[in-house]
Amino acid sequence: MRASNAATLLSRRDRDRFRPKEVGYRMRHYEMMIILDGELDERTVQPSLEKFLTVVTKDGGTVDNVDTWGRRRMAYDIKKKSEGIYVVVDFTSTPATAAELDRQLGLNESILRTKILRKDA
């Protein structure tokens, strides 16, 4: 039995186990919320975010929208800060690129929180 026939006779769950590389290369739509330190100057937020978002564009993804909400009071303190600058970013990338972006943002001390969600999930 050839591999193509074997894959069609298996259940959907078992077929996907034979092709893990294809899942990693599909582009997906993500929405990311970033809370930056409220003590930052709002003029420096956009250039610093563009520096981080080059990870997405370098790997073949696209940054669709960057929406800066501005300085807001948080419901509870994060790292002893009561205010933060909220930014929502819509982008399209592979899952590996989204994970790398989240990792790099987590290493920056001026970023208090990040949350990435798949829009189509």
Side-chain angles (χ1 to χ4, degrees), residues 35 74 76-83 86 112-113:
I35 303 176
M74 293 186 278
Y76 56 89
D77 290 355
I78 299 174
K79 296 183 184 177
K80 298 182 182 179
K81 309 283 183 181
S82 60
E83 284 189 345
Y86 286 69
L112 301 177
R113 280 281 163 42

Side-chain angles (χ1 to χ4, degrees), residues 8-54:
T8 57
L9 296 175
L10 294 172
S11 68
R12 181 180 298 242
R13 188 189 77 208
D14 291 332
R15 274 194 311 243
D16 291 339
R17 291 183 183 173
F18 291 111
R19 297 177 289 176
K21 290 182 182 178
E22 292 177 7
V23 174
Y25 292 114
R26 263 196 285 166
M27 293 291 193
R28 295 187 172 155
H29 299 285
Y30 293 96
E31 183 176 75
M32 177 172 54
M33 168 75 78
I34 304 170
I35 303 176
L36 293 115
D37 189 358
E39 296 174 359
L40 291 175
D41 188 18
E42 289 191 34
R43 289 177 284 166
T44 62
V45 170
Q46 192 71 20
S48 63
L49 281 178
E50 288 176 2
K51 182 180 73 169
F52 285 114
L53 294 176
T54 57

Side-chain angles (χ1 to χ4, degrees), residues 50-97:
E50 288 176 2
K51 182 180 73 169
F52 285 114
L53 294 176
T54 57
V55 172
V56 174
T57 56
K58 186 176 69 173
D59 287 341
T62 60
V63 178
D64 303 324
N65 188 21
V66 177
D67 186 17
T68 305
W69 290 5
R71 193 176 317 272
R72 303 259 173 124
R73 183 154 179 80
M74 293 186 278
Y76 56 89
D77 290 355
I78 299 174
K79 296 183 184 177
K80 298 182 182 179
K81 309 283 183 181
S82 60
E83 284 189 345
I85 300 171
Y86 286 69
V87 179
V88 177
V89 179
D90 293 330
F91 64 97
T92 304
S93 72
T94 61
T97 304

